[in-house]
């Protein structure tokens, strides 16, 4: 059983690794390419949800799944529940966390806002991976206006 | 509403989260670099980076002072294993000169759910532990070398992490002041 600090440091090292990798490949690119962080999150989410839900009854519907992510899953991983879940009932969900675990120690306000995407991308991937393994394909993006609060937008893709 | 209430055993989830995240990261490294030796090196460096931060957390949480000899250091690292990985390794195989010893891990949370394919048998998956030990000890002025001797992933009974004391690091003089 690993301590929580380990996960925090590991998360920091993932960001460090991917950014270092980018620097070697394309030096002059302006926008940071965070897709690798997202992908590492995706694989993690895809696997962990399978282990967590293997003995649980099937979810009733999409909303039920989202509620599970906001409560049980979020508390287990991010130590608190999502503060606000909103949906338009057409496949768009907004999850708001007012004190997101990876941002709480960075800043309280708008300082370092430009670095915020690095610290939320992994979680976008985790959410996408979890939902993908529960048969919901979606796009997940994050929005940070004021640290440490963060909004995750989930757009379900229907075919 | 932000009280944490969950059906899960948070400790277990956290441990699996670390295992799986680490696995995903190593898998990505293997994709990025085509040489397993380079991956092992990267993993060690990553552990080193984590180690130099972990020591601070460790000292703050345990309030322990300076170690007077290597035996004490080994005991402290044993505590750290317990704190951070939840396993209690045995300290064994002291060299006669007393500057080398091993940690024996019966179970290793990092390698749970992990299997190495045949073409990656050269990969030192647990190198992150070696790196962390080296990084943490460097912050308390101990220069050590650390490597994996036995690895459960490669069919051994237990995982053995060897540590060798090299030298004490002196406080460096600031540049330009002789």
């Amino acid at each position: 059983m690993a301590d929580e600090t380990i996960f925090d440091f590991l998360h920091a090292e993932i960001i460090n690794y991917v950014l270092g990798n980018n620097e070697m490949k394309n030096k002059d690119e302006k926008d940071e390419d965070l897709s690798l962080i997202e992908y590492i999150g995706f694989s993690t989410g895809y696997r962990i949800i399978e282990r967590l839900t293997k003995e649980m009854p099937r979810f009733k519907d999409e909303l039920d799944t989202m509620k599970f992510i906001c409560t049980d899953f979020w508390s287990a991983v991010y130590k608190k529940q999502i503060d606000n879940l909103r949906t338009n009932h057409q496949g768009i969900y907004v999850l708001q966390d007012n004190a997101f675990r990876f941002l709480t120690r960075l800043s309280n306000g708008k300082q370092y806002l430009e670095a915020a995407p690095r610290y939320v991308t992994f979680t976008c991937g985790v959410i996408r991976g979890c939902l993908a393994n529960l048969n919901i394909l979606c796009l997940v993006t994050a929005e940070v206006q004021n640290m440490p609060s963060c909004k995750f937008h989930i757009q379900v893709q229907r075919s | 509403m932000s009280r944490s209430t969950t059906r899960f055993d948070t400790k277990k989830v956290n441990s699996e989260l670390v295992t799986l995240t680490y696995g995903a990261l190593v898998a990505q490294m293997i994709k990025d670099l085509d040489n397993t030796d380079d991956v092992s090196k990267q993993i060690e460096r990553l552990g080193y980076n984590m180690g130099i931060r972990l020591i601070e957390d460790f000292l703050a949480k345990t309030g322990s002072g300076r170690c007077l000899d290597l035996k004490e250091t080994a005991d402290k690292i044993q505590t750290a294993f317990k704190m951070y990985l939840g396993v209690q390794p045995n300290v064994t195989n002291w060299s006669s000169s007393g500057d080398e010893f091993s940690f024996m891990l019966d179970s290793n949370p990092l390698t749970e759910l992990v299997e190495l394919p045949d073409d990656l048998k050269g990969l030192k998956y647990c190198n992150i532990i070696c790196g962390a030990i080296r990084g943490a000890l460097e912050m308390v002025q101990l220069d050590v070398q650390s490597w994996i001797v036995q690895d459960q992933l490669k069919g051994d009974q237990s995982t053995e992490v060897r540590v060798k004391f090299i030298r004490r690091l002196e406080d460096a003089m600031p540049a330009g002041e002789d």
Side-chain angles (χ1 to χ4, degrees), chain B residues 2-172:
Chain B
S2 59
R3 288 288 313 278
S4 67
T5 41
T6 172
R7 276 178 273 182
F8 299 126
D9 172 358
T10 11
K11 278 236 141 130
K12 187 158 169 276
V13 175
N14 191 57
S15 157
E16 286 185 350
L17 191 65
V18 169
T19 312
L20 293 171
T21 311
Y22 180 56
L25 177 64
V26 174
Q28 186 57 47
M29 285 178 168
I30 291 167
K31 258 186 237 168
D32 291 343
L33 312 158
D34 18 54
N35 186 339
T36 21
D37 287 345
D38 288 349
V39 179
S40 304
K41 243 180 256 165
Q42 275 277 355
I43 293 175
E44 209 265 354
R45 213 179 53 115
L46 203 128
Y48 174 82
N49 289 342
M50 285 173 75
I52 51 185
R53 289 153 192 248
L54 267 178
I55 184 76
E56 235 170 301
D57 188 73
F58 177 78
L59 293 179
K61 278 183 186 159
T62 59
S64 51
R66 224 164 239 295
C67 295
L68 297 172
D69 58 15
L70 208 56
K71 286 235 163 32
E72 212 179 321
T73 312
D75 285 347
K76 292 260 166 75
I77 302 176
Q78 195 183 26
T79 325
F81 266 106
K82 181 96 194 113
M83 267 175 73
Y84 295 113
L85 291 178
V87 289
Q88 184 113 40
N90 287 324
V91 185
T92 53
N93 292 350
W94 281 89
S95 67
S96 49
S97 51
D99 64 346
E100 253 186 84
F101 57 94
S102 294
F103 293 107
M104 284 288 201
L105 290 99
D106 296 330
S107 71
N108 183 352
L110 282 183
T111 60
E112 253 162 61
L113 321 167
V114 178
E115 233 174 84
L116 279 186
D118 283 333
D119 57 326
L120 290 176
K121 283 289 182 222
L123 180 70
K124 293 175 183 135
Y125 192 83
C126 305
N127 243 359
I128 187 163
I129 298 179
C130 303
I133 292 178
R134 186 169 68 88
L137 291 188
E138 193 175 305
M139 291 298 115
V140 289
Q141 273 114 15
L142 288 174
D143 190 8
V144 297
Q145 231 174 17
S146 175
W147 64 98
I148 303 281
V149 184
Q150 295 183 57
D151 193 339
Q152 278 163 323
L153 281 182
K154 287 159 194 164
D156 295 321
Q157 271 284 308
S158 42
T159 303
E160 180 179 355
V161 183
R162 190 99 180 129
V163 178
K164 181 184 166 66
F165 171 80
I166 309 287
R167 65 189 171 102
R168 287 194 83 90
L169 296 165
E170 300 297 326
D171 277 334

Side-chain angles (χ1 to χ4, degrees), chain A:
Chain A
M1 271 183 240
D3 188 84
E4 284 164 32
T5 355
I6 295 278
F7 183 58
D8 286 344
F9 289 154
L10 191 61
H11 178 254
E13 284 311 313
I14 290 174
I15 296 163
N16 192 3
Y17 167 75
V18 171
L19 292 181
N21 223 10
N22 285 352
E23 219 164 274
M24 283 193 306
K25 272 187 204 145
N26 29 5
K27 282 199 173 106
D28 32 52
E29 206 134 307
K30 250 196 188 152
D31 283 326
E32 281 181 324
D33 180 8
L34 299 172
S35 56
L36 273 189
I37 301 181
E38 207 262 358
Y39 180 69
I40 294 173
F42 177 83
S43 348
T44 309
Y46 197 89
R47 293 186 175 108
I48 195 138
I49 201 73
E50 196 167 276
R51 297 189 55 80
L52 293 181
T53 56
K54 67 182 169 195
E55 267 152 34
M56 288 174 64
R58 187 180 282 275
F59 296 114
K60 281 201 296 279
D61 51 18
E62 209 173 83
L63 188 63
D64 198 31
T65 317
M66 293 299 171
K67 279 186 188 156
F68 165 79
I69 297 281
C70 293
T71 55
D72 282 310
F73 180 76
W74 215 261
S75 322
V77 178
Y78 296 100
K79 311 299 163 206
K80 66 188 281 295
Q81 293 188 358
I82 282 284
D83 293 301
N84 192 337
L85 167 67
R86 264 184 282 180
T87 175
N88 66 353
H89 296 288
Q90 280 161 20
I92 295 194
Y93 298 84
V94 180
L95 280 57
Q96 185 176 341
D97 189 336
N98 290 334
F100 183 52
R101 178 175 170 185
F102 292 135
L103 295 179
T104 43
R105 283 179 213 160
L106 284 184
S107 147
N108 196 355
K110 296 200 185 299
Q111 201 185 5
Y112 304 122
L113 207 54
E114 70 280 359
R118 296 173 182 176
Y119 298 92
V120 295
T121 313
F122 177 81
T123 302
C124 289
V126 170
I127 300 175
R128 191 167 71 88
C130 287
L131 293 174
N133 205 344
L134 297 170
N135 200 20
I136 300 175
L137 295 181
C138 55
L139 275 177
V140 182
T141 48
E143 180 192 346
V144 184
Q145 278 171 346
N146 207 346
M147 295 220 252
S149 98
C150 178
K151 276 183 194 160
F152 295 95
H153 297 258
I154 304 176
Q155 236 179 312
V156 179
Q157 289 170 320
R158 304 195 198 281
S159 49

